[in-house]
Amino acid sequence: MSGLEQLYQQIIIDHSKHPHGVGLAEGEITSHQRNPVCGAEITLALRWDPAGERVESVAWEGSGCSISQASASLLATLAEESVEEGSPWTPEELTALIEEFREALRSRGAIPLDEERFGDAAALSGVSKFVARVKCAMLAWVAAEDLLQRRAS
């Protein structure tokens, strides 16, 4: 295993054992996603700024495999970092991020996630080589997409 693969594996393990963004508040609008193959489940909420125009944070709860839990944690971390950098996501920016993530994960390893854009979430690039694990990595991202679509309608 290369040094980069080991680093990526460690990031996934760290985020699954010490997840970011865990904890939903009563009354939040959530999306629940489940992978029936492995039993992983994620319930996710997008928290908006007071104007309702930008994502302030991603909150979630879930159970299941380390990939699903790490992916939700990494999505929450990306949201935190966007706020810290002074550029929280608009719905369009989050939609584009989700689409890029999906494209990379469905590429079977042909398209790695851009580390500049995805930060530590780029560690999930290797999942694309394991078709059975892609749905696990996508759960939180699909939940965010579902919330964006419901918000737009």
Side-chain angles (χ1 to χ4, degrees), residues 9-10 22 37 47 55 77 87 108 123 140:
Q9 186 176 28
Q10 191 59 49
V22 175
V37 175
R47 294 181 178 156
V55 176
T77 299
S87 57
R108 296 186 181 225

Side-chain angles (χ1 to χ4, degrees), residues 8-28:
Y8 280 0
Q9 186 176 28
Q10 191 59 49
I11 289 169
I12 291 170
I13 291 168
D14 288 349
H15 274 272
S16 67
K17 288 183 178 180
H18 309 286
H20 297 234
V22 175
L24 297 171
E26 190 171 325
E28 284 186 300

